[in-house]
């Protein structure tokens, strides 16, 4: 590379009289002039002959040698105007711009002053103002060099990123998959997976090490997401997330948010969730890559530390050392992955096993004439009350209001000539997935997963409601205010006609997820089907009441049955009710409003029966599952109340052997059955003869 040399003779110092008037004696022109040999420079240091006044100024490469000796050749391509401009600069005059990059005499003196100040600051050891470069590459290079320009800020950022990476990685390695287990003591443990990972990274060259660290970080991010899903599924459904079956439920969750809080909120939540998932995996990958880089900065110390940590982990594991009741030697990740693998294997095995069970049916081959002969001529109604669980009847925070409603309703029904018996059923689901509770009750099969539900719906298994259709002695109808799209399950349930949310003439407001108040749905049932006088057969009905569906805000109120009209009467009630966003995240409010919603649904159903029930009406109503654990508690059972109400004493005499409690409130020690056993017990109690099919 060519080196530029300088002449040993410095240029003649400028005459102070040629400086601009504004320049003070302390200012130095922007074009720095080397001091004469032996004279002090701008900061008072003497200069030697042939030495530049600024020793830090590097010569520019590939530039002709500078010289002030007379007779030296002019610079190449230097015209007269350029030379004059150079002479003007040496004389301290403002330069002239005669083209791109050249100064004009019109340039204001303040530019010289600013240049002089910048030069003075530089000579005094201060940074001069840095001008951002232009162009994409130049800008990237400029910003990448920010650490050199801001060393103190760079150190702060380095430490913050390192500490954050440590917290993220060790937090993910120790994170439980249950909300109630989220305690600080969980994170004061020694993860064995971190020790194994450090040993593997130290043994690899750079590229494989970075790739493995990034892959491990992304896997930790995915495990974190899975742990959060487990927490939420346990909170809402009482079971962990199923990697094989439960992805479809995320779409149901999005629909629930849209119905409860609006489509805009649901869309924003969906987009935010996707972004959050991507960020978690990306940030976790960056964190592990950063920590892997720290390990190899001093491999001897890192190797020694890894060996010590491994020895401590093994010792604590063998001796069973604990802190706050938890083992110090943690293997949380291994346990989580093992549990997930077992659940996946069990799910895959269950598909084939349950298919055989669904093809077997105790009453599959029973002739029509031998099905429910003791209910012929009766109008039979199977009604499900959303989230009506044992907690509503026995939890001290909710029971007083619900129990009072049950007692009042029992008295009112007795006065109207009805009698009731009640017991408990253990639901196949918890907190949600109501269709699993419906299908378990009516199919006589334990339907606790979405896979089992699909298997049952596609089978020829005889549902309790289809029994009535098979006899040919009943018209069958479904009242489904929660159905807002196609419902192919109609065939499995044996319903001749189904009324969905849009077919009952409702013109009032929605109550969060519920499309209409239960009172209106029951009145529509009376108007459209139960109250018809042109019917030549009795009616079997399946009714799903939805006003007690979470988030339990706003809740409708009872109005006069003659005032219902098209539902517009509920406008003011809905507007004055609680907001879903205020209730959904507050446990105390959720409990209170949940209890009120159950009171409303039970009141609407029993008042309808008082008003429209006949001597031939038989009502079977029950809950489909317990409310979520935020309301029912972490240790709540899966039991739900079930009641049978009728005027004809013979109907209740048929179930006397069940030992159920008289009235609508089951006693604490009343019989508890699995929900899947109800179909067969009901069919046998009312005279059905078993004729099994084996598939």
């Amino acid at each position: 590379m060519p080196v530029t040399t300088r002449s040993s003779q410095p240029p003649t110092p400028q005459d102070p009289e040629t400086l601009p008037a504004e320049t003070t004696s302390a200012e130095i022109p922007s074009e720095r002039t080397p001091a004469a040999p032996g004279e002090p420079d701008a900061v008072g240091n003497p200069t030697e002959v042939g030495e530049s006044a600024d020793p830090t100024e590097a010569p520019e490469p590939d530039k002709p040698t500078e010289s002030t000796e007379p007779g030296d050749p002019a610079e190449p391509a230097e015209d007269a105007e350029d030379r004059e401009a150079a002479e003007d600069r040496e004389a301290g005059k403002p330069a002239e711009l005669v083209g791109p990059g050249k100064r004009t005499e019109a340039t204001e003196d303040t530019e010289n002053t600013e240049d002089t100040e910048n030069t003075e600051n530089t000579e005094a050891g201060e940074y001069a103002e840095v001008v951002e470069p232009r162009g994409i590459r130049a800008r990237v290079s400029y910003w990448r060099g920010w650490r050199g320009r801001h060393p103190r800020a760079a150190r702060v950022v380095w430490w913050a990123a390192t500490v954050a990476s440590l917290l993220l990685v060790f937090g993910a390695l120790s994170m439980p998959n249950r909300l109630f287990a989220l305690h600080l003591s969980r994170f004061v443990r020694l993860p064995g997976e971190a020790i194994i990972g450090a040993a593997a990274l130290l043994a690899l060259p750079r590229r494989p090490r970075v790739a493995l660290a990034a892959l491990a970080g992304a896997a930790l991010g995915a495990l974190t997401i899975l742990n959060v899903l487990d927490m939420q599924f346990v909170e809402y459904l009482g079971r962990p997330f199923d990697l094989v079956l439960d992805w479809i439920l995320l779409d149901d969750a999005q629909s629930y948010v849209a119905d409860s809080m609006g489509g805009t909120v649901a869309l924003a939540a969906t987009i935010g969730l996707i972004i959050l998932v991507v960020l978690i995996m990306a940030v976790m990958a960056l964190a592990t890559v950063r920590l892997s880089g720290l390990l190899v900065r001093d491999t001897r110390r890192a190797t020694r530390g890894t060996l010590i940590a491994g020895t401590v982990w093994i010792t604590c594991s063998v001796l069973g050392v604990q802190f706050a009741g938890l083992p110090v030697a943690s293997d949380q990740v291994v346990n989580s992955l093992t549990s997930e693998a077992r659940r996946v294997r069990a799910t895959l095995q269950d598909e084939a096993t349950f298919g055989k069970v669904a093809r077997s049916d105790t009453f599959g081959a029973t002739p029509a004439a031998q099905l429910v002969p003791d209910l012929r001529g009766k109008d039979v109604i199977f009604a499900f009350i959303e989230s009506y669980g044992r907690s509503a009847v026995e939890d001290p925070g909710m029971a007083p209001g619900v129990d009072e409603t049950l007692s009042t309703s029992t008295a009112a029904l007795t006065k109207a000539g009805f009698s009731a018996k009640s017991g408990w059923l253990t639901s196949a689901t918890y907190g949600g997935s109501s269709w699993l509770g419906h299908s378990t009750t009516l199919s006589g099969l334990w339907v606790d997963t979405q896979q089992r539900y699909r298997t049952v719906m596609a089978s020829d298994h005889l549902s309790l409601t289809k029994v009535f259709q098979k006899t040919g002695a009943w018209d069958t109808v479904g009242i489904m205010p929660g159905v807002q799209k196609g419902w192919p399950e109609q065939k499995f349930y044996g319903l001749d006609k189904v009324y969905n949310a849009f077919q009952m003439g409702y013109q009032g407001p929605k109550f969060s997820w519920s499309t209409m108040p239960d009172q209106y749905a029951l009145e529509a049932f009376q108007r459209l089907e139960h109250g018809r006088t042109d019917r030549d057969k009795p009616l079997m009905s399946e009714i799903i009441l939805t006003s007690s569906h979470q988030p339990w805000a706003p809740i409708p109120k009872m109005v006069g049955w003659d005032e219902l009209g098209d539902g517009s009467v509920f406008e003011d009630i809905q507007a004055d009710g609680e907001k879903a966003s205020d209730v959904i995240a507050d446990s105390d409010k959720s409990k209170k409003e949940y209890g009120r919603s159950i009171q409303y649904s039970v009141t609407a159903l029993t008042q309808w029966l008082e008003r429209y029930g006949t001597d031939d009406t038989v009502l079977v109503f029950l809950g489909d599952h317990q409310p979520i654990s935020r309301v029912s508690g972490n240790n709540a059972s899966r039991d739900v109340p079930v009641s049978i109400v009728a005027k004809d004493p013979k109907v209740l005499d048929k179930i006397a052997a069940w030992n159920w409690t008289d009235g609508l409130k089951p006693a604490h020690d009343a019989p508890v059955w699995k929900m899947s056993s109800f179909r067969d017990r009901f069919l046998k109690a009312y005279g059905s003869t078993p004729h099994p099919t084996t598939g």
Side-chain angles (χ1 to χ4, degrees):
M1 180 176 180
V3 179
T4 302
T5 61
R6 293 183 181 272
S7 172
S8 61
Q9 181 176 351
T12 305
Q14 293 178 341
D15 187 350
E17 295 180 358
T18 64
L19 292 172
E22 293 84 349
T23 306
T24 65
S25 61
E27 294 177 330
I28 301 176
S30 61
E31 293 292 335
R32 296 177 55 196
T33 305
E39 293 182 1
D41 61 7
V43 293
N45 298 321
T47 58
E48 300 294 335
V49 176
E51 181 182 357
S52 171
D54 186 359
T56 63
E57 181 179 349
E60 298 182 10
D62 302 329
K63 191 173 182 179
T65 305
E66 297 179 5
S67 175
T68 58
E69 290 288 334
D72 280 353
E75 294 179 6
E78 182 81 29
D79 56 18
E81 293 178 350
D82 292 333
R83 194 176 300 107
E84 289 176 3
E87 291 173 355
D88 288 341
R89 286 196 300 272
E90 290 181 0
K93 297 179 182 179
E96 223 177 295
L97 263 184
V98 191
K102 299 179 181 179
R103 294 183 176 272
T104 67
E105 292 182 354
T107 305
E108 297 183 8
D109 292 343
T110 53
E111 293 183 24
N112 281 337
T113 304
E114 292 172 358
D115 291 341
T116 302
E117 291 174 352
N118 288 338
T119 304
E120 186 181 58
N121 292 339
T122 303
E123 291 177 351
E126 299 179 8
Y127 288 109
E129 182 180 356
V130 180
V131 180
E132 289 190 23
R134 296 181 179 179
I136 296 177
R137 291 186 178 179
R139 286 180 181 274
V140 171
S141 178
Y142 172 78
W143 285 110
R144 289 181 66 181
W146 73 273
R147 294 180 181 85
R149 297 192 300 275
H150 308 285
R152 185 172 299 176
R155 284 194 297 272
V156 172
V157 171
W158 188 92
W159 278 107
T162 301
V163 172
S165 298
L166 284 168
L167 292 176
L168 284 172
V169 171
F170 278 83
L173 290 171
S174 304
M175 185 178 184
N177 61 351
R178 298 291 187 273
L179 276 174
F180 60 81
L182 276 177
H183 299 294
L184 184 60
S185 58
R186 284 271 179 178
F187 301 94
V188 190
R189 304 168 72 193
L190 183 60
E193 298 85 359
I195 300 170
I196 296 172
L201 292 173
L202 285 169
L204 293 174
R206 181 182 179 279
R207 288 189 177 181
R209 183 186 72 249
V210 172
L212 177 61
L215 182 62
L220 272 180
L223 181 61
T224 300
I225 294 168
L226 184 59
N227 284 334
V228 173
L229 284 173
D230 279 345
M231 291 178 189
Q232 297 305 311
F233 267 66
V234 170
E235 172 78 6
Y236 283 90
L237 301 179
R239 61 177 178 80
F241 180 77
D242 192 307
L243 274 172
V244 179
L245 303 176
D246 285 341
W247 297 106
I248 191 174
L249 298 183
L250 299 180
D251 180 61
D252 293 326
Q254 195 270 347
S255 299
Y256 162 70
V257 174
D259 291 335
S260 300
M261 308 182 73
T264 302
V265 174
L267 179 61
T270 302
I271 294 173
L273 184 62
I274 293 172
I275 293 174
L276 181 61
V277 167
V278 174
L279 279 177
I280 288 174
M281 298 186 69
V283 170
M284 198 65 74
L286 291 173
T288 51
V289 169
R290 182 177 187 82
L291 295 181
S292 71
L294 291 177
L295 280 174
V296 298
R297 293 181 72 175
D298 190 337
T299 54
R300 292 183 63 184
R301 287 187 179 181
T303 302
R304 190 183 305 119
T306 302
L307 290 173
I308 293 173
T311 303
V312 172
W313 191 94
I314 293 173
T315 303
C316 291
S317 179
V318 171
L319 298 179
V321 179
Q322 293 188 347
F323 174 77
L326 295 170
V328 173
S330 168
D331 54 356
Q332 178 72 29
V333 173
V334 172
N335 288 337
S336 296
L337 294 177
T338 302
S339 298
E340 290 296 337
R342 288 173 180 168
R343 283 202 293 267
V344 169
R345 184 169 61 250
T347 298
L348 297 177
Q349 292 174 348
D350 181 71
E351 183 174 6
T353 303
F354 185 72
K356 296 178 181 179
V357 173
R359 288 192 293 271
S360 300
D361 192 342
T362 306
F363 294 91
T366 300
Q370 298 179 20
L371 291 170
V372 289
D374 297 338
L375 290 176
R376 299 299 168 104
K378 303 293 184 184
D379 289 325
V380 182
I381 302 168
F382 296 97
F384 290 90
I385 297 179
E386 172 66 35
S387 301
Y388 179 31
R390 187 165 193 151
S391 296
V393 179
E394 295 187 344
D395 188 286
M398 300 169 286
V402 174
D403 289 352
E404 182 180 354
T405 297
L406 293 174
S407 298
T408 302
S409 298
T410 299
L413 288 174
T414 301
K415 185 177 180 179
F418 289 93
S419 298
K421 286 186 178 294
S422 301
W424 303 106
L425 298 178
T426 301
S427 178
T429 185
Y430 175 94
S433 300
S434 302
W435 56 92
L436 301 182
H438 305 163
S439 57
T440 297
T441 303
L442 299 179
S443 70
L445 299 170
W446 191 253
V447 186
D448 60 345
T449 66
Q450 191 65 22
Q451 176 178 273
R452 287 191 167 202
Y453 181 77
R454 290 197 297 264
T455 300
V456 170
M457 292 300 116
S459 72
D460 294 327
H461 200 85
L462 190 63
S463 67
L464 181 54
T465 47
K466 197 171 187 177
V467 163
F468 292 85
Q469 185 189 55
K470 183 177 179 180
T471 64
W474 279 271
D475 290 330
T476 59
V477 66
I479 303 297
M480 308 287 173
V483 173
Q484 302 181 57
K485 51 188 176 182
W487 197 59
E489 289 89 337
Q490 177 179 350
K491 179 181 178 182
F492 173 79
Y493 288 116
L495 302 175
D496 300 327
K497 187 185 298 183
V498 170
Y499 293 91
N500 64 26
F502 311 109
Q503 296 173 322
M504 288 185 269
Y506 183 68
Q507 300 298 317
K510 286 184 63 176
F511 284 78
S512 190
W513 184 88
S514 181
T515 58
M516 66 187 70
D518 291 345
Q519 185 183 9
Y520 182 90
L522 291 165
E523 179 65 23
F525 167 58
Q526 177 65 24
R527 182 181 71 250
L528 296 170
E529 292 292 340
H530 187 265
R532 286 173 52 185
T533 58
D534 58 345
R535 189 183 303 282
D536 57 358
K537 295 179 182 178
L539 186 66
M540 191 289 303
S541 310
E542 180 185 355
I543 302 175
I544 311 297
L545 300 178
T546 62
S547 290
S548 52
H549 195 288
Q550 63 175 316
W552 309 298
I555 299 171
K557 296 178 180 178
M558 294 295 295
V559 300
W561 288 89
D562 296 328
E563 300 173 7
L564 286 168
D566 63 359
S568 300
V569 68
F570 292 103
E571 292 281 358
D572 292 339
I573 296 175
Q574 190 265 359
D576 293 339
E578 295 276 358
K579 293 183 179 179
S581 57
D582 295 336
V583 172
I584 195 169
D586 189 314
S587 180
D588 292 335
K589 278 190 176 181
S590 293
K591 279 190 173 186
K592 177 183 176 183
E593 298 305 309
Y594 164 72
R596 290 181 59 225
S597 72
I598 295 298
Q599 293 177 58
Y600 170 79
S601 294
V602 170
T603 299
L605 182 59
T606 55
Q607 281 194 13
W608 177 89
L609 187 59
E610 289 177 57
R611 184 179 179 89
Y612 298 115
T614 68
D615 293 344
D616 293 324
T617 302
V618 177
L619 171 64
V620 181
F621 76 94
L622 66 154
D624 44 25
H625 55 73
Q626 283 267 52
I628 59 176
S629 60
R630 188 172 69 245
V631 171
S632 59
N634 292 324
N635 300 314
S637 71
R638 294 192 172 207
D639 297 346
V640 298
V642 56
S643 301
I644 298 180
V645 188
K647 273 190 176 181
D648 187 349
K650 294 179 181 178
V651 173
L652 296 183
D653 289 345
K654 296 290 184 180
I655 63 170
W658 293 1
N659 295 319
W660 281 13
T661 306
D662 290 334
L664 298 180
K665 178 187 175 182
H668 178 75
D669 58 351
V672 181
W673 304 338
K674 288 188 70 174
M675 188 177 271
S676 55
S677 69
F678 180 77
R679 187 204 72 158
D680 286 5
R681 287 176 181 267
F682 185 89
L683 291 176
K684 291 176 181 177
Y686 293 104
S688 302
T689 305
H691 287 273
T693 56
T694 58

